[in-house]
Amino acid sequence: MTQEKPPRIFAADQQARWVSNHAGIWSLQGADLDSVPTLSILTTLWDQPRWLEAYHLYDKRGSELFEQICDLPEYYLTRTENAILERHAGEIIANAPVQCIAELGAGYSKKTVHLLSHQVRRRGNCIFAPIDVSRSALLASQRAVQKDFPQIEFHGVHSRYEDGFSAIDRDLPTLFVFLGSSIGNFNHTDFPRFFQALSAAMGPHDFLLLGADRVKAVKMLEDAYNDNRGVTAEFILNVFGSINRLLQSNFERDKMRYHSWLNPEWQQIEMYAVSREPQQIYFPTAETSFQWQKDERILVEISRKFDPIRLQEQLGFFGLLPVKHFTDPNEWFSVLLFKKQA
Ligand code: AVI
């Protein structure tokens, strides 16, 4: 463990809680990022209907498959959002006078590079604090950012979103960045909980930049989540391999298929694993099992689609005031800038 002094991104009462075991990467002392998944998996699989929380999808293979999804011709989200950021990063940074950029679920921080380069150009310096539960993603982000922007102070925060953003000093003007329409993967309970916690953690000089995929024609949406090459199906069904490793369960890839559709009332893509035959699923570590019936669906992920104006109004109730709305020529995707109400 390296004996680094916790950086000034952390509030004074948080400094002692964060430790570094790799220069520039911080973790909460004693935090066990693996303890919650077991309980989450078992409780949601015993719900009616059965479902899973989306974060289980991102084991090593899942993260690789998601990277492949981002490059698929049908999956317009990543390239559309990237083009919006490339075009408007200067204006975004001009409207958000901050010293720190904190990215939630940073992944490899590919799109954020546009913001970092304008921040450096305009203000000369910057702290970049990606927050991610994946250590390998933080290390990859660190390598890329330190190579291209040696003047940026990099502090990777290895934690769940809420632990990470609530530790950041409220007096340090910060732009929180949450891209990729990841808010679409929150259900109707997690969504308000997330924005309540984020807004409470934000200081009076803070901003939020949010990427949100928009409501649009059914075919385009359904194709984006059911690609010709079957990468999305592989990504969704891969979660059961990861559950098998964690819980020594016996889900079998060959005994399930992928199904997705746009639920028009909820304006969300729903992604399911469907059992091809009746099967008993055992969880030896928890000494329990359930019968997965033929054609019974497990909801693995939802991806909600948004009306940007309504979203702006909704976030106003959390004390987040709209500053600017950026979109692409087809109006497929929105990047929204908010300011925390002082
Ligand atoms: C990460 N998230 C925003 C993606 C989405 O579009 O909802 C996850 C995804 N699932 C299947 N394809 C992409």
Side-chain angles (χ1 to χ4, degrees):
M1 191 158 298
T2 59
Q3 288 305 313
E4 260 185 283
K5 192 171 165 305
R8 68 187 174 100
I9 55 160
F10 294 124
D13 63 345
Q14 290 282 331
Q15 300 266 331
R17 302 182 68 210
W18 294 83
V19 289
S20 159
N21 49 21
H22 175 101
I25 309 279
W26 299 90
S27 316
L28 258 184
Q29 207 154 19
D32 175 6
L33 291 177
D34 286 337
S35 65
V36 178
T38 304
L39 188 62
S40 147
I41 290 163
L42 292 173
T43 52
T44 59
L45 279 180
W46 258 255
D47 256 350
Q48 175 60 35
R50 303 184 196 279
W51 64 288
L52 290 168
E53 290 193 86
Y55 72 91
H56 302 304
L57 287 159
Y58 297 92
D59 64 352
K60 187 166 179 292
R61 174 92 180 118
S63 301
E64 285 163 9
L65 286 164
F66 181 63
E67 285 294 302
Q68 290 179 32
I69 288 176
C70 292
D71 290 333
L72 290 171
E74 295 94 334
Y75 196 75
Y76 60 87
L77 286 80
T78 311
R79 59 177 177 275
T80 309
E81 185 185 48
N82 188 55
I84 298 172
L85 287 170
E86 192 167 10
R87 179 144 183 234
H88 297 288
E91 204 181 336
I92 293 167
I93 291 299
N95 277 278
V98 296
Q99 294 167 25
C100 173
I101 294 179
E103 183 172 16
L104 311 182
Y108 300 95
S109 304
K110 280 187 201 154
K111 289 174 284 192
T112 319
V113 161
H114 304 303
L115 299 170
L116 294 177
S117 88
H118 279 274
Q119 170 77 0
V120 166
R121 216 179 296 169
R122 180 172 276 269
R123 309 208 167 96
N125 61 13
C126 176
I127 299 171
F128 180 48
I131 302 169
D132 206 304
V133 285
S134 160
R135 221 183 130 70
S136 55
L138 288 174
L139 291 169
S141 163
Q142 185 182 37
R143 272 193 299 275
V145 169
Q146 287 183 336
K147 179 169 155 283
D148 291 344
F149 303 97
Q151 62 280 65
I152 287 181
E153 200 180 314
F154 183 99
H155 299 293
V157 181
H158 182 218
S159 74
R160 297 194 189 96
Y161 295 151
E162 294 196 18
D163 289 330
F165 61 60
S166 2
I168 293 182
D169 187 355
R170 290 161 53 88
D171 291 329
L172 175 70
T174 297
L175 170 63
F176 290 92
V177 175
F178 197 30
L179 298 176
S181 202
S182 295
I183 47 161
N185 301 129
F186 291 160
N187 63 31
H188 291 73
T189 310
D190 293 336
F191 183 93
R193 197 181 288 158
F194 172 81
F195 282 106
Q196 211 148 6
L198 178 60
S199 178
M202 287 168 77
H205 307 294
D206 289 352
F207 292 80
L208 168 66
L209 189 70
L210 197 62
D213 193 22
R214 296 169 63 145
V215 171
K216 61 179 66 64
V218 177
K219 176 153 173 39
M220 187 171 174
L221 283 173
E222 290 194 333
D223 285 354
Y225 292 87
N226 195 10
D227 62 280
N228 270 330
R229 284 176 237 177
V231 183
T232 310
E234 215 40 58
F235 170 67
I236 293 297
L237 300 183
N238 173 66
V239 77
F240 295 98
S242 148
I243 292 175
N244 281 349
R245 272 194 305 282
L246 191 70
L247 296 177
Q248 290 153 46
S249 49
N250 61 329
F251 284 104
E252 282 178 63
R253 172 70 182 80
D254 296 348
K255 292 186 181 169
M256 58 178 90
R257 64 183 167 83
Y258 173 63
H259 168 71
S260 63
W261 79 305
L262 178 82
N263 179 331
E265 190 184 352
W266 292 64
Q267 283 299 337
Q268 63 184 21
I269 293 283
E270 296 174 357
M271 290 161 265
Y272 294 96
V274 188
S275 184
R276 292 182 185 275
E277 58 188 72
Q279 45 182 316
Q280 196 69 21
I281 307 294
Y282 294 100
F283 300 89
T285 48
E287 296 182 4
T288 187
S289 72
F290 75 81
Q291 170 88 10
W292 194 7
Q293 308 291 354
K294 180 175 183 329
D295 294 330
E296 187 187 353
R297 306 184 304 186
I298 296 177
L299 178 60
V300 178
E301 193 184 31
I302 57 166
S303 190
R304 298 173 59 201
K305 304 301 159 189
F306 300 90
D307 167 350
I309 307 304
R310 188 160 160 176
L311 183 59
Q312 282 180 327
E313 287 171 0
Q314 192 180 18
L315 295 201
F317 298 116
F318 297 100
L320 296 166
L321 308 179
V323 178
K324 289 245 166 197
H325 175 193
F326 305 94
T327 188
D328 54 287
N330 297 309
E331 304 196 336
W332 286 342
F333 199 96
S334 287
V335 173
L336 303 162
L337 181 64
F338 298 87
K339 182 174 189 333
K340 174 71 201 279
Q341 197 163 27

